[in-house]
Amino acid sequence: MPTPSMEDYLERIYKLIDEKGYARVSDIAEGLEVHPSSVTKMIQKLDKDNYLIYEKYRGLVLTNKGKKMGKRLMERHDLLESFLTIIGVQEENIYTDVEGIEHHLSWDSITCIETLVEYFRRDPSRSEELRNIRSELESE
């Protein structure tokens, strides 16, 4: 199982490849706000663990294992953003909050959150009811 740091890299690499068709060390470094040398070290570790294939000066390609994990991590991130939006977290806090919690939840918890998000999506009046309860609690 990848470490939280490895997850951040895999998620970023997967997203870059999905959006641009490739992931360069400089793009990964910029997105994660780390030095390119740190990216190179992590890419070598991810290569060793069979999440990607890296050839110096030629680039990298995600393996099937890396693609599967990257996709799962992006879906987890998107789900948590949806969840926080539904429960009324202020938009400017959502990204930071997701980054803070995503590595600390079990996949069981993620599945439960996914079910709850689907519950709210199936009947938008439930979200409205939740917002009303929150407003009541805040005014007490």
Side-chain angles (χ1 to χ4, degrees), residues 107-137:
W107 287 103
D108 180 49
S109 293
I110 296 296
T111 300
C112 291
I113 290 170
E114 185 175 34
T115 303
L116 185 60
V117 166
E118 183 59 26
Y119 171 81
F120 282 108
R121 283 191 178 144
R122 288 186 181 186
D123 185 350
S125 69
R126 293 171 179 154
S127 296
E128 184 63 33
E129 185 178 344
L130 181 66
R131 283 189 289 278
N132 291 338
I133 292 169
R134 181 177 178 189
S135 293
E136 289 172 18
L137 291 173

PDB file of all heavy atoms in Angstrom, residues 107-137:
ATOM      1  N   TRP A 107     -10.750   2.976   3.680  1.00  0.00           N
ATOM      2  CA  TRP A 107     -11.576   2.810   2.483  1.00  0.00           C
ATOM      3  C   TRP A 107     -13.007   2.461   2.879  1.00  0.00           C
ATOM      4  O   TRP A 107     -13.953   2.778   2.165  1.00  0.00           O
ATOM      5  CB  TRP A 107     -10.958   1.791   1.525  1.00  0.00           C
ATOM      6  CG  TRP A 107      -9.758   2.389   0.859  1.00  0.00           C
ATOM      7  CD1 TRP A 107      -8.450   2.145   1.148  1.00  0.00           C
ATOM      8  CD2 TRP A 107      -9.750   3.387  -0.180  1.00  0.00           C
ATOM      9  NE1 TRP A 107      -7.631   2.929   0.358  1.00  0.00           N
ATOM     10  CE2 TRP A 107      -8.395   3.695  -0.465  1.00  0.00           C
ATOM     11  CE3 TRP A 107     -10.743   4.055  -0.883  1.00  0.00           C
ATOM     12  CZ2 TRP A 107      -8.022   4.633  -1.427  1.00  0.00           C
ATOM     13  CZ3 TRP A 107     -10.367   4.981  -1.850  1.00  0.00           C
ATOM     14  CH2 TRP A 107      -9.028   5.267  -2.113  1.00  0.00           C
ATOM     15  N   ASP A 108     -13.197   1.862   4.047  1.00  0.00           N
ATOM     16  CA  ASP A 108     -14.540   1.609   4.565  1.00  0.00           C
ATOM     17  C   ASP A 108     -15.261   2.937   4.816  1.00  0.00           C
ATOM     18  O   ASP A 108     -16.429   3.100   4.438  1.00  0.00           O
ATOM     19  CB  ASP A 108     -14.467   0.776   5.848  1.00  0.00           C
ATOM     20  CG  ASP A 108     -15.838   0.487   6.433  1.00  0.00           C
ATOM     21  OD1 ASP A 108     -16.736   0.042   5.682  1.00  0.00           O
ATOM     22  OD2 ASP A 108     -16.018   0.712   7.644  1.00  0.00           O
ATOM     23  N   SER A 109     -14.567   3.889   5.438  1.00  0.00           N
ATOM     24  CA  SER A 109     -15.164   5.208   5.672  1.00  0.00           C
ATOM     25  C   SER A 109     -15.483   5.900   4.352  1.00  0.00           C
ATOM     26  O   SER A 109     -16.525   6.541   4.219  1.00  0.00           O
ATOM     27  CB  SER A 109     -14.220   6.084   6.503  1.00  0.00           C
ATOM     28  OG  SER A 109     -14.096   5.572   7.800  1.00  0.00           O
ATOM     29  N   ILE A 110     -14.591   5.772   3.389  1.00  0.00           N
ATOM     30  CA  ILE A 110     -14.826   6.373   2.067  1.00  0.00           C
ATOM     31  C   ILE A 110     -16.094   5.793   1.446  1.00  0.00           C
ATOM     32  O   ILE A 110     -16.925   6.526   0.889  1.00  0.00           O
ATOM     33  CB  ILE A 110     -13.603   6.164   1.144  1.00  0.00           C
ATOM     34  CG1 ILE A 110     -12.372   6.885   1.683  1.00  0.00           C
ATOM     35  CG2 ILE A 110     -13.911   6.576  -0.295  1.00  0.00           C
ATOM     36  CD1 ILE A 110     -12.482   8.392   1.746  1.00  0.00           C
ATOM     37  N   THR A 111     -16.275   4.491   1.540  1.00  0.00           N
ATOM     38  CA  THR A 111     -17.468   3.840   0.993  1.00  0.00           C
ATOM     39  C   THR A 111     -18.726   4.354   1.700  1.00  0.00           C
ATOM     40  O   THR A 111     -19.749   4.608   1.048  1.00  0.00           O
ATOM     41  CB  THR A 111     -17.357   2.310   1.125  1.00  0.00           C
ATOM     42  OG1 THR A 111     -16.208   1.879   0.397  1.00  0.00           O
ATOM     43  CG2 THR A 111     -18.580   1.615   0.574  1.00  0.00           C
ATOM     44  N   CYS A 112     -18.662   4.534   2.998  1.00  0.00           N
ATOM     45  CA  CYS A 112     -19.815   5.061   3.741  1.00  0.00           C
ATOM     46  C   CYS A 112     -20.121   6.499   3.320  1.00  0.00           C
ATOM     47  O   CYS A 112     -21.292   6.871   3.152  1.00  0.00           O
ATOM     48  CB  CYS A 112     -19.566   4.976   5.244  1.00  0.00           C
ATOM     49  SG  CYS A 112     -19.540   3.290   5.881  1.00  0.00           S
ATOM     50  N   ILE A 113     -19.098   7.312   3.136  1.00  0.00           N
ATOM     51  CA  ILE A 113     -19.293   8.689   2.673  1.00  0.00           C
ATOM     52  C   ILE A 113     -19.891   8.682   1.272  1.00  0.00           C
ATOM     53  O   ILE A 113     -20.779   9.481   0.951  1.00  0.00           O
ATOM     54  CB  ILE A 113     -17.971   9.481   2.732  1.00  0.00           C
ATOM     55  CG1 ILE A 113     -17.584   9.731   4.192  1.00  0.00           C
ATOM     56  CG2 ILE A 113     -18.066  10.788   1.949  1.00  0.00           C
ATOM     57  CD1 ILE A 113     -16.188  10.285   4.385  1.00  0.00           C
ATOM     58  N   GLU A 114     -19.420   7.774   0.424  1.00  0.00           N
ATOM     59  CA  GLU A 114     -19.957   7.655  -0.925  1.00  0.00           C
ATOM     60  C   GLU A 114     -21.460   7.357  -0.881  1.00  0.00           C
ATOM     61  O   GLU A 114     -22.246   7.942  -1.630  1.00  0.00           O
ATOM     62  CB  GLU A 114     -19.218   6.546  -1.675  1.00  0.00           C
ATOM     63  CG  GLU A 114     -19.609   6.402  -3.119  1.00  0.00           C
ATOM     64  CD  GLU A 114     -18.744   5.364  -3.813  1.00  0.00           C
ATOM     65  OE1 GLU A 114     -18.349   4.363  -3.176  1.00  0.00           O
ATOM     66  OE2 GLU A 114     -18.474   5.569  -5.003  1.00  0.00           O
ATOM     67  N   THR A 115     -21.869   6.479   0.020  1.00  0.00           N
ATOM     68  CA  THR A 115     -23.290   6.148   0.177  1.00  0.00           C
ATOM     69  C   THR A 115     -24.066   7.374   0.645  1.00  0.00           C
ATOM     70  O   THR A 115     -25.164   7.656   0.137  1.00  0.00           O
ATOM     71  CB  THR A 115     -23.453   4.979   1.181  1.00  0.00           C
ATOM     72  OG1 THR A 115     -22.698   3.872   0.721  1.00  0.00           O
ATOM     73  CG2 THR A 115     -24.911   4.587   1.333  1.00  0.00           C
ATOM     74  N   LEU A 116     -23.510   8.113   1.582  1.00  0.00           N
ATOM     75  CA  LEU A 116     -24.181   9.311   2.087  1.00  0.00           C
ATOM     76  C   LEU A 116     -24.318  10.379   1.000  1.00  0.00           C
ATOM     77  O   LEU A 116     -25.376  11.002   0.858  1.00  0.00           O
ATOM     78  CB  LEU A 116     -23.416   9.866   3.285  1.00  0.00           C
ATOM     79  CG  LEU A 116     -24.037  11.056   4.007  1.00  0.00           C
ATOM     80  CD1 LEU A 116     -25.420  10.705   4.555  1.00  0.00           C
ATOM     81  CD2 LEU A 116     -23.117  11.527   5.128  1.00  0.00           C
ATOM     82  N   VAL A 117     -23.277  10.574   0.222  1.00  0.00           N
ATOM     83  CA  VAL A 117     -23.333  11.542  -0.886  1.00  0.00           C
ATOM     84  C   VAL A 117     -24.430  11.134  -1.870  1.00  0.00           C
ATOM     85  O   VAL A 117     -25.219  11.974  -2.318  1.00  0.00           O
ATOM     86  CB  VAL A 117     -21.956  11.670  -1.582  1.00  0.00           C
ATOM     87  CG1 VAL A 117     -22.063  12.395  -2.914  1.00  0.00           C
ATOM     88  CG2 VAL A 117     -20.966  12.383  -0.666  1.00  0.00           C
ATOM     89  N   GLU A 118     -24.500   9.857  -2.184  1.00  0.00           N
ATOM     90  CA  GLU A 118     -25.541   9.371  -3.092  1.00  0.00           C
ATOM     91  C   GLU A 118     -26.931   9.589  -2.486  1.00  0.00           C
ATOM     92  O   GLU A 118     -27.871   9.952  -3.195  1.00  0.00           O
ATOM     93  CB  GLU A 118     -25.326   7.889  -3.417  1.00  0.00           C
ATOM     94  CG  GLU A 118     -26.306   7.319  -4.408  1.00  0.00           C
ATOM     95  CD  GLU A 118     -26.320   8.013  -5.765  1.00  0.00           C
ATOM     96  OE1 GLU A 118     -25.296   8.613  -6.168  1.00  0.00           O
ATOM     97  OE2 GLU A 118     -27.364   7.958  -6.445  1.00  0.00           O
ATOM     98  N   TYR A 119     -27.074   9.401  -1.200  1.00  0.00           N
ATOM     99  CA  TYR A 119     -28.339   9.642  -0.495  1.00  0.00           C
ATOM    100  C   TYR A 119     -28.795  11.088  -0.703  1.00  0.00           C
ATOM    101  O   TYR A 119     -29.956  11.349  -1.012  1.00  0.00           O
ATOM    102  CB  TYR A 119     -28.153   9.328   0.994  1.00  0.00           C
ATOM    103  CG  TYR A 119     -29.305   9.730   1.874  1.00  0.00           C
ATOM    104  CD1 TYR A 119     -30.445   8.932   1.982  1.00  0.00           C
ATOM    105  CD2 TYR A 119     -29.245  10.901   2.628  1.00  0.00           C
ATOM    106  CE1 TYR A 119     -31.500   9.301   2.808  1.00  0.00           C
ATOM    107  CE2 TYR A 119     -30.295  11.273   3.454  1.00  0.00           C
ATOM    108  CZ  TYR A 119     -31.416  10.471   3.539  1.00  0.00           C
ATOM    109  OH  TYR A 119     -32.464  10.839   4.351  1.00  0.00           O
ATOM    110  N   PHE A 120     -27.885  12.032  -0.551  1.00  0.00           N
ATOM    111  CA  PHE A 120     -28.226  13.443  -0.742  1.00  0.00           C
ATOM    112  C   PHE A 120     -28.482  13.768  -2.211  1.00  0.00           C
ATOM    113  O   PHE A 120     -29.351  14.581  -2.531  1.00  0.00           O
ATOM    114  CB  PHE A 120     -27.126  14.346  -0.175  1.00  0.00           C
ATOM    115  CG  PHE A 120     -27.177  14.473   1.314  1.00  0.00           C
ATOM    116  CD1 PHE A 120     -26.223  13.853   2.110  1.00  0.00           C
ATOM    117  CD2 PHE A 120     -28.180  15.192   1.938  1.00  0.00           C
ATOM    118  CE1 PHE A 120     -26.268  13.964   3.491  1.00  0.00           C
ATOM    119  CE2 PHE A 120     -28.238  15.308   3.318  1.00  0.00           C
ATOM    120  CZ  PHE A 120     -27.277  14.681   4.099  1.00  0.00           C
ATOM    121  N   ARG A 121     -27.748  13.145  -3.112  1.00  0.00           N
ATOM    122  CA  ARG A 121     -27.941  13.415  -4.550  1.00  0.00           C
ATOM    123  C   ARG A 121     -29.295  12.924  -5.049  1.00  0.00           C
ATOM    124  O   ARG A 121     -29.885  13.521  -5.942  1.00  0.00           O
ATOM    125  CB  ARG A 121     -26.828  12.757  -5.359  1.00  0.00           C
ATOM    126  CG  ARG A 121     -25.539  13.524  -5.295  1.00  0.00           C
ATOM    127  CD  ARG A 121     -24.536  13.012  -6.312  1.00  0.00           C
ATOM    128  NE  ARG A 121     -23.339  13.825  -6.234  1.00  0.00           N
ATOM    129  CZ  ARG A 121     -22.120  13.364  -6.404  1.00  0.00           C
ATOM    130  NH1 ARG A 121     -21.915  12.097  -6.692  1.00  0.00           N
ATOM    131  NH2 ARG A 121     -21.083  14.166  -6.304  1.00  0.00           N
ATOM    132  N   ARG A 122     -29.777  11.829  -4.500  1.00  0.00           N
ATOM    133  CA  ARG A 122     -31.055  11.260  -4.952  1.00  0.00           C
ATOM    134  C   ARG A 122     -32.250  12.139  -4.602  1.00  0.00           C
ATOM    135  O   ARG A 122     -33.284  12.040  -5.258  1.00  0.00           O
ATOM    136  CB  ARG A 122     -31.247   9.862  -4.369  1.00  0.00           C
ATOM    137  CG  ARG A 122     -30.347   8.853  -5.008  1.00  0.00           C
ATOM    138  CD  ARG A 122     -30.630   7.462  -4.535  1.00  0.00           C
ATOM    139  NE  ARG A 122     -29.710   6.524  -5.162  1.00  0.00           N
ATOM    140  CZ  ARG A 122     -29.799   5.226  -5.030  1.00  0.00           C
ATOM    141  NH1 ARG A 122     -30.763   4.688  -4.300  1.00  0.00           N
ATOM    142  NH2 ARG A 122     -28.918   4.443  -5.626  1.00  0.00           N
ATOM    143  N   ASP A 123     -32.111  12.953  -3.568  1.00  0.00           N
ATOM    144  CA  ASP A 123     -33.211  13.832  -3.170  1.00  0.00           C
ATOM    145  C   ASP A 123     -32.623  15.145  -2.670  1.00  0.00           C
ATOM    146  O   ASP A 123     -32.258  15.258  -1.504  1.00  0.00           O
ATOM    147  CB  ASP A 123     -34.057  13.164  -2.084  1.00  0.00           C
ATOM    148  CG  ASP A 123     -35.282  13.978  -1.721  1.00  0.00           C
ATOM    149  OD1 ASP A 123     -35.403  15.155  -2.155  1.00  0.00           O
ATOM    150  OD2 ASP A 123     -36.130  13.447  -0.971  1.00  0.00           O
ATOM    151  N   PRO A 124     -32.539  16.134  -3.563  1.00  0.00           N
ATOM    152  CA  PRO A 124     -31.935  17.422  -3.192  1.00  0.00           C
ATOM    153  C   PRO A 124     -32.608  18.108  -1.992  1.00  0.00           C
ATOM    154  O   PRO A 124     -31.978  18.913  -1.314  1.00  0.00           O
ATOM    155  CB  PRO A 124     -32.074  18.267  -4.456  1.00  0.00           C
ATOM    156  CG  PRO A 124     -32.152  17.261  -5.561  1.00  0.00           C
ATOM    157  CD  PRO A 124     -32.886  16.087  -4.977  1.00  0.00           C
ATOM    158  N   SER A 125     -33.858  17.760  -1.706  1.00  0.00           N
ATOM    159  CA  SER A 125     -34.511  18.385  -0.550  1.00  0.00           C
ATOM    160  C   SER A 125     -33.816  17.980   0.756  1.00  0.00           C
ATOM    161  O   SER A 125     -33.884  18.691   1.748  1.00  0.00           O
ATOM    162  CB  SER A 125     -35.998  18.009  -0.499  1.00  0.00           C
ATOM    163  OG  SER A 125     -36.166  16.633  -0.196  1.00  0.00           O
ATOM    164  N   ARG A 126     -33.127  16.849   0.736  1.00  0.00           N
ATOM    165  CA  ARG A 126     -32.382  16.416   1.922  1.00  0.00           C
ATOM    166  C   ARG A 126     -31.242  17.380   2.227  1.00  0.00           C
ATOM    167  O   ARG A 126     -30.964  17.675   3.392  1.00  0.00           O
ATOM    168  CB  ARG A 126     -31.835  15.000   1.717  1.00  0.00           C
ATOM    169  CG  ARG A 126     -32.918  13.958   1.629  1.00  0.00           C
ATOM    170  CD  ARG A 126     -32.343  12.613   1.216  1.00  0.00           C
ATOM    171  NE  ARG A 126     -33.392  11.603   1.159  1.00  0.00           N
ATOM    172  CZ  ARG A 126     -33.331  10.523   0.402  1.00  0.00           C
ATOM    173  NH1 ARG A 126     -32.272  10.282  -0.349  1.00  0.00           N
ATOM    174  NH2 ARG A 126     -34.322   9.660   0.398  1.00  0.00           N
ATOM    175  N   SER A 127     -30.596  17.870   1.171  1.00  0.00           N
ATOM    176  CA  SER A 127     -29.520  18.849   1.353  1.00  0.00           C
ATOM    177  C   SER A 127     -30.077  20.140   1.936  1.00  0.00           C
ATOM    178  O   SER A 127     -29.461  20.763   2.803  1.00  0.00           O
ATOM    179  CB  SER A 127     -28.810  19.136   0.032  1.00  0.00           C
ATOM    180  OG  SER A 127     -28.163  17.988  -0.445  1.00  0.00           O
ATOM    181  N   GLU A 128     -31.232  20.531   1.449  1.00  0.00           N
ATOM    182  CA  GLU A 128     -31.883  21.743   1.962  1.00  0.00           C
ATOM    183  C   GLU A 128     -32.233  21.579   3.436  1.00  0.00           C
ATOM    184  O   GLU A 128     -32.010  22.479   4.245  1.00  0.00           O
ATOM    185  CB  GLU A 128     -33.144  22.050   1.143  1.00  0.00           C
ATOM    186  CG  GLU A 128     -33.844  23.333   1.535  1.00  0.00           C
ATOM    187  CD  GLU A 128     -32.986  24.568   1.315  1.00  0.00           C
ATOM    188  OE1 GLU A 128     -32.187  24.592   0.369  1.00  0.00           O
ATOM    189  OE2 GLU A 128     -33.116  25.505   2.130  1.00  0.00           O
ATOM    190  N   GLU A 129     -32.733  20.416   3.793  1.00  0.00           N
ATOM    191  CA  GLU A 129     -33.065  20.138   5.197  1.00  0.00           C
ATOM    192  C   GLU A 129     -31.801  20.206   6.063  1.00  0.00           C
ATOM    193  O   GLU A 129     -31.820  20.758   7.172  1.00  0.00           O
ATOM    194  CB  GLU A 129     -33.726  18.765   5.322  1.00  0.00           C
ATOM    195  CG  GLU A 129     -34.215  18.443   6.705  1.00  0.00           C
ATOM    196  CD  GLU A 129     -34.916  17.089   6.779  1.00  0.00           C
ATOM    197  OE1 GLU A 129     -35.294  16.543   5.725  1.00  0.00           O
ATOM    198  OE2 GLU A 129     -35.060  16.594   7.902  1.00  0.00           O
ATOM    199  N   LEU A 130     -30.710  19.659   5.559  1.00  0.00           N
ATOM    200  CA  LEU A 130     -29.438  19.699   6.281  1.00  0.00           C
ATOM    201  C   LEU A 130     -28.987  21.143   6.497  1.00  0.00           C
ATOM    202  O   LEU A 130     -28.561  21.518   7.594  1.00  0.00           O
ATOM    203  CB  LEU A 130     -28.372  18.904   5.525  1.00  0.00           C
ATOM    204  CG  LEU A 130     -26.991  18.834   6.166  1.00  0.00           C
ATOM    205  CD1 LEU A 130     -27.047  18.040   7.472  1.00  0.00           C
ATOM    206  CD2 LEU A 130     -26.002  18.196   5.215  1.00  0.00           C
ATOM    207  N   ARG A 131     -29.090  21.968   5.458  1.00  0.00           N
ATOM    208  CA  ARG A 131     -28.700  23.383   5.579  1.00  0.00           C
ATOM    209  C   ARG A 131     -29.580  24.100   6.607  1.00  0.00           C
ATOM    210  O   ARG A 131     -29.099  24.936   7.369  1.00  0.00           O
ATOM    211  CB  ARG A 131     -28.768  24.068   4.218  1.00  0.00           C
ATOM    212  CG  ARG A 131     -27.579  23.737   3.318  1.00  0.00           C
ATOM    213  CD  ARG A 131     -27.541  24.600   2.062  1.00  0.00           C
ATOM    214  NE  ARG A 131     -28.594  24.250   1.116  1.00  0.00           N
ATOM    215  CZ  ARG A 131     -28.522  23.246   0.254  1.00  0.00           C
ATOM    216  NH1 ARG A 131     -27.447  22.493   0.208  1.00  0.00           N
ATOM    217  NH2 ARG A 131     -29.516  22.988  -0.572  1.00  0.00           N
ATOM    218  N   ASN A 132     -30.872  23.770   6.629  1.00  0.00           N
ATOM    219  CA  ASN A 132     -31.782  24.390   7.602  1.00  0.00           C
ATOM    220  C   ASN A 132     -31.391  24.017   9.029  1.00  0.00           C
ATOM    221  O   ASN A 132     -31.397  24.870   9.923  1.00  0.00           O
ATOM    222  CB  ASN A 132     -33.234  23.983   7.330  1.00  0.00           C
ATOM    223  CG  ASN A 132     -33.777  24.594   6.050  1.00  0.00           C
ATOM    224  OD1 ASN A 132     -33.265  25.603   5.567  1.00  0.00           O
ATOM    225  ND2 ASN A 132     -34.799  23.979   5.491  1.00  0.00           N
ATOM    226  N   ILE A 133     -31.051  22.758   9.241  1.00  0.00           N
ATOM    227  CA  ILE A 133     -30.632  22.325  10.576  1.00  0.00           C
ATOM    228  C   ILE A 133     -29.354  23.050  10.975  1.00  0.00           C
ATOM    229  O   ILE A 133     -29.219  23.507  12.115  1.00  0.00           O
ATOM    230  CB  ILE A 133     -30.443  20.791  10.612  1.00  0.00           C
ATOM    231  CG1 ILE A 133     -31.800  20.092  10.451  1.00  0.00           C
ATOM    232  CG2 ILE A 133     -29.743  20.362  11.893  1.00  0.00           C
ATOM    233  CD1 ILE A 133     -31.689  18.589  10.212  1.00  0.00           C
ATOM    234  N   ARG A 134     -28.429  23.168  10.028  1.00  0.00           N
ATOM    235  CA  ARG A 134     -27.177  23.866  10.328  1.00  0.00           C
ATOM    236  C   ARG A 134     -27.446  25.316  10.704  1.00  0.00           C
ATOM    237  O   ARG A 134     -26.862  25.832  11.660  1.00  0.00           O
ATOM    238  CB  ARG A 134     -26.235  23.797   9.124  1.00  0.00           C
ATOM    239  CG  ARG A 134     -24.915  24.473   9.392  1.00  0.00           C
ATOM    240  CD  ARG A 134     -23.943  24.364   8.262  1.00  0.00           C
ATOM    241  NE  ARG A 134     -22.725  25.090   8.608  1.00  0.00           N
ATOM    242  CZ  ARG A 134     -21.757  25.315   7.772  1.00  0.00           C
ATOM    243  NH1 ARG A 134     -21.809  24.846   6.554  1.00  0.00           N
ATOM    244  NH2 ARG A 134     -20.706  25.997   8.156  1.00  0.00           N
ATOM    245  N   SER A 135     -28.335  25.970   9.973  1.00  0.00           N
ATOM    246  CA  SER A 135     -28.677  27.364  10.273  1.00  0.00           C
ATOM    247  C   SER A 135     -29.282  27.488  11.666  1.00  0.00           C
ATOM    248  O   SER A 135     -28.964  28.426  12.422  1.00  0.00           O
ATOM    249  CB  SER A 135     -29.665  27.922   9.250  1.00  0.00           C
ATOM    250  OG  SER A 135     -29.054  28.026   8.001  1.00  0.00           O
ATOM    251  N   GLU A 136     -30.136  26.547  12.013  1.00  0.00           N
ATOM    252  CA  GLU A 136     -30.749  26.556  13.347  1.00  0.00           C
ATOM    253  C   GLU A 136     -29.681  26.421  14.426  1.00  0.00           C
ATOM    254  O   GLU A 136     -29.709  27.131  15.432  1.00  0.00           O
ATOM    255  CB  GLU A 136     -31.747  25.404  13.487  1.00  0.00           C
ATOM    256  CG  GLU A 136     -33.012  25.566  12.688  1.00  0.00           C
ATOM    257  CD  GLU A 136     -33.882  24.305  12.696  1.00  0.00           C
ATOM    258  OE1 GLU A 136     -33.690  23.436  13.583  1.00  0.00           O
ATOM    259  OE2 GLU A 136     -34.751  24.203  11.816  1.00  0.00           O
ATOM    260  N   LEU A 137     -28.760  25.501  14.233  1.00  0.00           N
ATOM    261  CA  LEU A 137     -27.702  25.263  15.221  1.00  0.00           C
ATOM    262  C   LEU A 137     -26.769  26.481  15.351  1.00  0.00           C
ATOM    263  O   LEU A 137     -26.326  26.811  16.447  1.00  0.00           O
ATOM    264  CB  LEU A 137     -26.892  24.022  14.865  1.00  0.00           C
ATOM    265  CG  LEU A 137     -27.626  22.691  14.991  1.00  0.00           C
ATOM    266  CD1 LEU A 137     -26.771  21.563  14.439  1.00  0.00           C
ATOM    267  CD2 LEU A 137     -28.011  22.418  16.429  1.00  0.00           C
TER     268      LEU A 137
END
